[in-house]
Amino acid sequence: MELLFLLLPFFLLGLAVAGISRISGVAMSMIIVPALLIWGATPLDVISFMLLFVLYNNFTVATQNVRLDFKSLTFFPKWKALIPVLITLALTFTWPAAGVAFFIACFILEISAVVYKGIPSAERPATSEVTTHIVLASVLAAVGALLVPFISSDIYFGLAGLAILVLTGFAWYAGEHRDAFRGTWGYIWTIFNFFLGAFGVEASYYPSGLTRTFTSKLDSMIPIITVVAGFAGIMVVFTTQEMFSIPAFVAALGAAIGVRLFGVYEFSKRGSFSYLAIAVAVLAVISLYLVSPVPSGFEQFNTLLEAPAQ
């Protein structure tokens, strides 16, 4: 019962953030990261939480109208769907974490293919382009996650706030200058996955809402690219720190319910960025800086989870 009371604020956080994002258009991570830090999260708490939250939340939004048909899977159609299941079971008996990771990787692979195929052929980016960006995003997110233990907690909250301001400022500038970053647009958003790995901050749904004077087919796949990058970051955190965030699951559930209830923000067709989103992001950073939080960690969850085994 005590664990449920401890997890309830995270559920409410996810639900509330989904509502705020629906109204303003602000990326959920730009509210959640400051909230976690204000609540006393350590840098490792933040990224273990956010990487899992982003993976789950991006899937929820990207697959709202997607139905997974086992008969028409891309990589494991029909009876071949048993292959990853059997491999997962085999791995689970020897190394449970590897079994779960393998199954999630196969799931991400199939969902990504479904989303990709769902894009009209005329608007679909080349598979080679998507693959290149997935590899680059995954490497950058993994590097960011590897660097977190070396960042002092005294300055981490300041850098996290700065990452939010950089992403927000870039989105505003891109909205005001629709011809800017021609030829580098997709790579810039892919490079931002370093912020995901290091600070848990991402805004992968912004590109599709920022109308450009040039064609950018990659925009529709950036949220899925971010999912893969998030998975790479999760693997780094789990293998190096053995951390897995249960509060993130609870918050993601709250956000998923919020998305189903409220829907998602529709960006202006004019291509300009939401000033309300800018205001919310800046307010979140100001609140973070005013509090100047001292990390205490989320060890109470680990204590409660380990208690029955003692």
Side-chain angles (χ1 to χ4, degrees):
M1 184 61 70
E2 185 179 355
L3 180 62
L4 292 178
F5 279 114
L6 284 172
L7 292 173
L8 181 60
F10 295 100
F11 175 82
L12 296 176
L13 175 64
L15 187 64
V17 166
I20 295 172
S21 178
R22 171 63 181 87
I23 295 170
S24 66
V26 69
M28 294 188 195
S29 67
M30 297 188 182
I31 303 175
I32 296 178
V33 169
L36 293 176
L37 289 167
I38 289 172
W39 287 355
T42 65
L44 285 171
D45 286 331
V46 171
I47 61 165
S48 65
F49 184 107
M50 289 306 303
L51 289 168
L52 184 58
F53 178 87
V54 167
L55 188 153
Y56 188 95
N57 183 67
N58 276 25
F59 260 147
T60 299
V61 176
T63 61
Q64 283 194 95
N65 300 315
V66 172
R67 295 293 180 267
L68 195 62
D69 184 357
F70 288 97
K71 295 181 180 179
S72 59
L73 295 179
T74 301
F75 299 97
F76 304 101
K78 298 181 181 179
W79 65 267
K80 292 181 180 179
L82 291 173
I83 296 176
V85 174
L86 293 175
I87 294 176
T88 297
L89 290 174
L91 287 172
T92 300
F93 285 111
T94 56
W95 188 12
V100 174
F102 177 78
F103 184 80
I104 293 175
C106 291
F107 184 74
I108 290 174
L109 197 64
E110 287 292 353
I111 290 291
S112 300
V114 171
V115 172
Y116 180 78
K117 288 181 177 179
I119 302 172
S121 57
E123 303 172 11
R124 190 183 301 162
T127 54
S128 58
E129 181 183 13
V130 175
T131 302
T132 298
H133 284 269
I134 283 176
V135 171
L136 177 59
S138 299
V139 169
L140 289 171
V143 169
L146 284 170
L147 290 176
V148 171
F150 303 100
I151 303 176
S152 170
S153 58
D154 294 332
I155 64 170
Y156 184 83
F157 76 91
L159 295 176
L162 182 60
I164 292 173
L165 295 178
V166 168
L167 271 172
T168 302
F170 178 80
W172 168 81
Y173 184 88
E176 296 296 315
H177 303 84
R178 299 187 196 180
D179 194 49
F181 311 110
R182 182 186 293 268
T184 59
W185 178 250
Y187 280 100
I188 291 174
W189 286 103
T190 297
I191 290 170
F192 278 146
N193 279 281
F194 175 79
F195 287 164
L196 172 62
F199 308 111
V201 178
E202 67 90 33
S204 54
Y205 284 95
Y206 283 0
S208 60
L210 294 168
T211 305
R212 318 308 296 153
T213 57
F214 51 87
T215 302
S216 179
K217 295 181 179 180
L218 192 69
D219 288 356
S220 56
M221 285 298 295
I222 287 178
I224 297 299
I225 291 171
T226 302
V227 164
V228 181
F231 179 71
I234 289 173
M235 290 299 98
V236 168
V237 173
F238 185 79
T239 55
T240 60
Q241 306 295 329
E242 296 185 350
M243 294 182 68
F244 190 80
S245 178
I246 291 179
F249 262 123
V250 177
L253 177 61
I257 293 174
V259 168
R260 300 299 183 188
L261 289 175
F262 312 131
V264 294
Y265 182 80
E266 295 291 336
F267 283 92
S268 170
K269 299 300 182 182
R270 296 174 301 170
S272 58
F273 191 58
S274 167
Y275 284 97
L276 185 55
I278 295 173
V280 172
V282 171
L283 181 61
V285 174
I286 291 175
S287 300
L288 176 62
Y289 286 174
L290 287 176
V291 172
S292 297
V294 176
S296 56
F298 290 163
E299 288 301 319
Q300 63 268 40
F301 297 104
N302 296 330
T303 301
L304 286 174
L305 289 172
E306 294 171 0
Q310 293 178 348

